[in-house]
Amino acid sequence: MAAPSRILVPVDLSEGSRSIIDYALQLARPFNASVEVLHAWEPPQYVAPDLLVAAPGWNPLSLEQVALDTAGKELATLLRQMEPPSVPLKHRVVVGEAASTILELVEKEGFDLIVMGTHGRRGLPRLLLGSVAQKLVSRAPCPVLTLHVSQDTKK
């Protein structure tokens, strides 16, 4: 197996996201691999993503645009709070169901490693919520490194 050159780091913007990104950057350093941090926003199934969000004095925006803007700002703020990386680092926010969006991106853009967190849900919550990590581990064309992120991580 060749050393990784492009690492994808999907994050959910939870408290543990920073530690996952830190780990991926440390892993990338000896290989001089590039790192791309990705957040996939999935539109709620019960609300149309083109629903307009407006308040007096605002320009109406679609729910999707509000969500993408908010997630993009959160991700940019998170990355600014970190030490400047010594490897190439990019980030983006996309729309779509997380697992399928990540898989499509990995295949289309040639990432050779995925580094992501898992919350370690078990039983009914896992069954109901699904597991993005499990789907990626079983279907990704490249290795997937999962890191357990506890719900009370305060990084």
Side-chain angles (χ1 to χ4, degrees), residues 63-142:
L63 175 62
E64 181 175 306
Q65 191 57 54
V66 171
L68 291 176
D69 290 347
T70 302
K73 287 175 185 172
E74 284 183 41
L75 186 53
T77 299
L78 173 66
L79 295 175
R80 273 195 308 273
Q81 293 172 347
M82 299 175 71
E83 288 184 31
S86 59
V87 297
L89 175 65
K90 296 192 307 187
H91 69 281
R92 68 173 120 167
V93 177
V94 297
V95 176
E97 187 274 325
S100 60
T101 300
I102 294 164
L103 287 168
E104 182 179 312
L105 193 62
V106 166
E107 291 175 12
K108 188 169 142 184
E109 297 191 17
F111 288 95
D112 43 27
L113 177 64
I114 300 169
V115 176
M116 67 181 302
T118 179
H119 295 289
R121 292 182 183 102
R122 299 200 182 283
L124 189 57
R126 180 172 169 213
L127 181 64
L128 294 175
L129 297 173
S131 169
V132 174
Q134 181 183 13
K135 290 173 187 171
L136 293 178
V137 166
S138 65
R139 296 176 23 208
C142 64

Side-chain angles (χ1 to χ4, degrees), residues 1-20:
M1 174 161 57
S5 62
R6 295 193 71 211
I7 301 173
L8 182 65
V9 185
V11 295
D12 62 3
L13 299 176
S14 67
E15 291 292 325
S17 295
R18 181 176 180 163
S19 62
I20 301 301

Side-chain angles (χ1 to χ4, degrees), residues 19-81:
S19 62
I20 301 301
I21 297 167
D22 277 336
Y23 191 94
L25 291 170
Q26 290 176 28
L27 182 65
R29 194 171 296 126
F31 303 111
N32 198 32
S34 65
V35 173
E36 183 161 340
V37 180
L38 172 78
H39 176 71
W41 179 75
E42 184 173 355
Q45 294 180 354
Y46 51 87
V47 177
D50 58 352
L51 172 76
L52 293 182
V53 178
W58 286 7
N59 291 332
L61 297 171
S62 70
L63 175 62
E64 181 175 306
Q65 191 57 54
V66 171
L68 291 176
D69 290 347
T70 302
K73 287 175 185 172
E74 284 183 41
L75 186 53
T77 299
L78 173 66
L79 295 175
R80 273 195 308 273
Q81 293 172 347

